[in-house]
Amino acid sequence: QVQLVESGGGFMQPGGSLRLSCAASGRVFSIHYMGWYRQAPGESRELVASISNGGRTDYADSVKGRFTISKDNAKDTMYLQMNSLKPEDTAIYYCKVLANGPNEYWGQGTQVTVSS
């Protein structure tokens, strides 16, 4: 079993920055994919950013140039640095991990609210 613990969400004014963390624990033998997803009110869940075991990254067009995904393999942790936050970034952010072969794991979600 694998548990994902997220932190770093909260309230921020437009233009501010937040850093989300997602730490995997438990029976983690390998991680070959990690990604951040978000779901805003009235919208479907979308991929925000992802990073492969080899370090390849992918971003949604709406966050390119503002968000940066990274990972620390020694800690089984990934991060999402969010700069120049906009009100439209307000959403519940979810951590997704592919580990231990083909198994898929999700975090509980963390709220990010950007407002004046």
Side-chain angles (χ1 to χ4, degrees), residues 22 31-36 50-57 68-80:
C22 175
I31 297 176
H32 58 89
Y33 170 93
M34 304 184 83
W36 289 100
S50 64
I51 185 167
S52 70
N53 187 51
R56 297 190 308 276
T57 58
T68 302
I69 189 171
S70 62
K71 62 186 177 74
D72 184 337
N73 291 332
K75 297 182 177 180
D76 289 335
T77 301
M78 77 165 174
Y79 308 91
L80 184 67

Side-chain angles (χ1 to χ4, degrees), residues 25-94:
S25 62
R27 297 289 186 178
V28 182
F29 301 102
S30 64
I31 297 176
H32 58 89
Y33 170 93
M34 304 184 83
W36 289 100
Y37 294 73
R38 70 184 182 188
Q39 186 167 14
E43 300 182 16
S44 59
R45 190 174 300 183
E46 65 172 347
L47 174 66
V48 177
S50 64
I51 185 167
S52 70
N53 187 51
R56 297 190 308 276
T57 58
D58 188 40
Y59 297 92
D61 289 340
S62 59
V63 307
K64 287 181 179 178
R66 299 189 298 119
F67 291 9
T68 302
I69 189 171
S70 62
K71 62 186 177 74
D72 184 337
N73 291 332
K75 297 182 177 180
D76 289 335
T77 301
M78 77 165 174
Y79 308 91
L80 184 67
Q81 179 65 46
M82 304 185 294
N83 298 327
S84 301
L85 284 165
K86 303 176 180 179
E88 48 263 46
D89 294 320
T90 296
I92 300 176
Y93 285 71
Y94 299 90

Side-chain angles (χ1 to χ4, degrees), residues 8-11 18 20 39 41 89-93 109-114:
F11 181 89
L18 288 172
L20 304 183
Q39 186 167 14
D89 294 320
T90 296
I92 300 176
Y93 285 71
T110 183
Q111 178 70 46
V112 172
T113 302
V114 184

